[in-house]
Amino acid sequence: MVRQFNAVDEVRKHPGLTAGVVAVLAGVGIAALLLNQRTGPTRYERLRERVDPRGWFDAEALRHRFDDIARGVRHGAEDLGHRAADLGDYAGERAGRFGHDARARAEHWLSGSRKKARKPMKRYARQARRYAEDAGDFARDHAKEGGALLAVATIAAAIGAAALESRRKGGFGKL
């Protein structure tokens, strides 16, 4: 009696035996690979060193790069503080000049309106006073805003410098 042999059916009948055979063949393959190396175990060690992520970057160069970045940010923060102070001074001067010019124009307009008739003079005088007050309020508000911007920029620069200095003194450990 001739029986037909089907390998897939045999594998399904004996799964443990199949897994054992595959494991033995894999072991034989790895052993053959390691034993056939001409230079010995160094080839395997080289492969292991390539896979090791500790050698993928230069930590010392990275540390120097971070120090350079921190130094640049620190100098930039100092420069930003000086620029903010200059900007605040400039804004204060401009607001003062604008208020003075507006007041001078309003006074000129008021003095010119006094020469005219009484009724239009009252209206123009009121309008001139209102414009002068508005211009003065505008100038004062912008002078306050300039001072506030200067204060915020100075505080931000101080906080940034303190944060960089604390990080630099070893807050995060060694790289």
Side-chain angles (χ1 to χ4, degrees), residues 94-107 135 139:
R94 291 269 318 242
R97 273 190 271 138
F98 180 75
H100 180 50
D101 291 345
R103 187 172 297 272
R105 286 186 186 141
E107 287 175 359

Side-chain angles (χ1 to χ4, degrees), residues 15-95:
L17 184 63
T18 305
V21 168
V22 169
V24 167
L25 289 176
V28 169
I30 290 173
L33 178 73
L34 292 176
L35 292 175
N36 283 332
Q37 292 180 1
R38 282 187 249 159
T39 59
T42 58
R43 187 176 295 169
Y44 172 71
E45 289 173 5
R46 280 192 219 137
L47 180 66
R48 193 176 68 193
E49 287 174 2
R50 286 184 189 160
V51 175
D52 186 16
R54 289 178 286 199
W56 289 352
F57 62 92
D58 185 11
E60 188 66 30
L62 192 61
R63 183 178 302 125
H64 290 303
R65 181 175 287 169
F66 280 136
D67 287 342
D68 292 342
I69 290 170
R71 191 177 310 111
V73 169
R74 199 170 23 257
H75 290 303
E78 291 173 3
D79 187 40
L80 180 64
H82 294 304
R83 290 170 96 186
D86 293 342
L87 182 62
D89 294 342
Y90 177 70
E93 290 173 10
R94 291 269 318 242

Side-chain angles (χ1 to χ4, degrees), residues 71-163:
R71 191 177 310 111
V73 169
R74 199 170 23 257
H75 290 303
E78 291 173 3
D79 187 40
L80 180 64
H82 294 304
R83 290 170 96 186
D86 293 342
L87 182 62
D89 294 342
Y90 177 70
E93 290 173 10
R94 291 269 318 242
R97 273 190 271 138
F98 180 75
H100 180 50
D101 291 345
R103 187 172 297 272
R105 286 186 186 141
E107 287 175 359
H108 178 70
W109 193 8
L110 181 62
S111 67
S113 68
R114 285 186 183 146
K115 296 177 184 175
K116 295 183 180 175
R118 190 91 169 133
K119 189 173 180 181
M121 185 181 80
K122 286 182 183 179
R123 185 180 57 164
Y124 290 139
R126 241 181 280 130
Q127 198 174 17
R129 274 190 220 104
R130 189 179 37 171
Y131 287 159
E133 288 174 8
D134 289 346
D137 291 343
F138 182 81
R140 278 189 293 278
D141 289 345
H142 279 73
K144 288 177 188 175
E145 288 175 8
L149 284 175
L150 173 64
V152 168
T154 304
I155 290 169
I159 290 171

